Amino acid sequence: MALFRARPLAAGCLVFILLVPPAFALDGLLLFLVPIIALCLSVGCFFLRRRAPYVALCLFLIFFAVALAFGRVALDRVLYREIDGAIGGERELTLRVEDVTYESNYNSEYTVKLVGVRGFAVLRADGELQPLPGSIIRGRFQVEARSFESYYEGQGTAYFAEGQRAILIPREIESVTSGAPSVSERLKALRTRAANRLRGAMEEGAGELSAAILLGDKSGLSDTVVRDFRRTGVSHLLAISGLHLVILAGVLDRFLYRLRIGKKPRVCLIMAFCVFYCLLSGASHSTLRAALMLCILYLAFLLRSDADPVTSLFFAGA
């Protein structure tokens, strides 16, 4: 606990992280009972330690983390109760294809957004459908639970972590119309074009590695290369993380410095670059964590404050 003695924000973030999983397992009034108990304990401790404002700040942040964790789950259930209540039956739905998860000549799987109903879902269809990202599908679908015909252990949990509420099985397709691709799909297409440019500008092998290290596009890497990286213990270089982001941010900082741009405008531009690069490279967990922690570091400079790595790490985790 000495680690959090002078870090109330880090303590609050840790409480939030620890409480989110059990919050999903609670039902009914129990979901609201825990934050109420936390509030009572915080108020009681506050009155017992009125002369310790720092303790009061810690207690407030901890209560806020508890309320945020359980409030997040309660809001989630309210917003998505319509699709959750439809599991096990058939519904007339309009879907918008967000991403292609898996596609073959026999069966396919897509991430879809429900139009008119809050939430995302997994669309499982045969090989004949094969809609493009952005397509609008109207029809009648069987709504099944996330664990319906799981292909591997924990697949239902993986769907849940991605925000996908149910699995949809087509019963009758009325129409499939093309639509504008989503922002994520446009970023994915931009990443693919940039990766192809790298592959075309370099020798075979070097271009594939550059696309993987700089953009997170590993589609061109052979199994042999991935195996060699794993055996030598440097496979982490293929996953975009803090190492890649700090190097790129440093290069950009030196470039802007040569252009005689002031420190504060440079910091703002680098923060914008970190966010854009995170989205462009696919926003993996390692990239998202690095981008958040680096932005907090630069934000501390703008606010003329000190950046604490432990607090930044727990904030990014929360």
Side-chain angles (χ1 to χ4, degrees):
M1 296 304 294
L3 183 66
F4 301 101
R5 187 168 297 167
R7 298 182 175 97
L9 180 58
C13 291
L14 176 63
V15 171
F16 174 77
I17 294 170
L18 295 177
L19 284 177
V20 167
F24 278 100
L26 296 180
D27 292 316
L29 293 177
L30 287 175
L31 193 61
F32 300 96
L33 187 60
V34 177
I36 293 173
I37 294 174
L39 175 62
C40 294
L41 292 175
S42 300
V43 171
C45 293
F46 174 74
F47 281 108
L48 290 174
R49 299 293 300 274
R50 286 178 295 180
R51 296 184 180 179
Y54 182 78
V55 174
L57 175 62
C58 292
L59 292 173
F60 170 76
L61 288 175
I62 290 174
F63 163 70
F64 182 73
V66 174
L68 190 64
F70 284 79
R72 162 71 179 83
V73 176
L75 180 64
D76 186 75
R77 293 183 181 179
V78 170
L79 293 178
Y80 304 121
R81 60 185 175 186
E82 185 173 355
I83 188 64
D84 290 341
I87 291 177
E90 291 188 7
R91 286 286 302 272
E92 293 279 351
L93 296 170
T94 301
L95 315 176
R96 186 181 190 280
V97 179
E98 295 292 316
D99 194 15
V100 179
T101 307
Y102 170 77
E103 202 169 56
S104 70
N105 294 328
Y106 302 99
N107 52 60
S108 305
E109 196 171 279
Y110 308 90
T111 299
V112 295
K113 183 177 182 180
L114 307 177
V115 180
V117 181
R118 292 182 183 273
F120 291 83
V122 177
L123 173 64
R124 286 185 181 172
D126 54 29
E128 296 180 358
L129 187 59
Q130 295 192 349
L132 297 174
S135 300
I136 305 297
I137 304 175
R138 296 179 178 87
R140 192 166 188 83
F141 301 87
Q142 178 73 25
V143 184
E144 296 290 350
R146 291 181 297 268
S147 58
F148 177 75
E149 292 185 0
S150 295
Y151 299 133
Y152 59 86
E153 186 178 357
Q155 187 175 16
T157 305
Y159 287 150
F160 182 76
E162 295 294 332
Q164 296 160 355
R165 310 298 301 181
I167 294 176
L168 305 178
I169 311 297
R171 295 304 184 207
E172 181 182 356
I173 300 296
E174 296 178 2
S175 64
V176 179
T177 57
S178 59
S182 63
V183 175
S184 60
E185 191 60 31
R186 291 177 181 176
L187 286 171
K188 185 177 180 180
L190 179 61
R191 179 169 68 250
T192 301
R193 288 199 298 269
N196 291 335
R197 289 284 184 90
L198 282 174
R199 295 186 185 105
M202 299 182 179
E203 296 180 359
E204 185 178 358
E208 305 293 351
L209 273 177
S210 299
I213 293 174
L214 291 176
L215 299 171
D217 187 346
K218 305 175 187 177
S219 58
L221 292 179
S222 64
D223 294 338
T224 304
V225 173
V226 175
R227 180 202 63 193
D228 292 343
F229 268 80
R230 187 179 297 115
R231 286 181 175 178
T232 53
V234 293
S235 58
H236 60 278
L237 294 177
L238 299 178
I240 298 177
S241 59
L243 173 66
H244 305 72
L245 198 59
V246 167
I247 292 175
L248 292 175
V251 171
L252 178 61
D253 182 60
R254 297 306 301 172
F255 174 74
L256 295 175
Y257 175 78
R258 291 296 181 91
L259 297 179
R260 299 183 182 277
I261 297 177
K263 182 67 174 179
K264 288 187 177 180
R266 290 208 313 269
V267 166
C268 295
L269 290 173
I270 293 173
M271 290 174 64
F273 166 77
C274 289
V275 174
F276 174 74
Y277 181 72
C278 178
L279 297 175
L280 178 66
S281 59
S284 63
H285 295 115
S286 58
T287 315
L288 184 60
R289 179 188 66 239
L292 280 172
M293 295 183 67
L294 197 56
C295 285
I296 292 173
L297 177 66
Y298 286 119
L299 189 62
F301 167 78
L302 291 178
L303 298 177
R304 297 181 180 179
S305 181
D306 294 327
D308 178 51
V310 175
T311 302
S312 300
L313 178 62
F314 279 94
F315 181 80

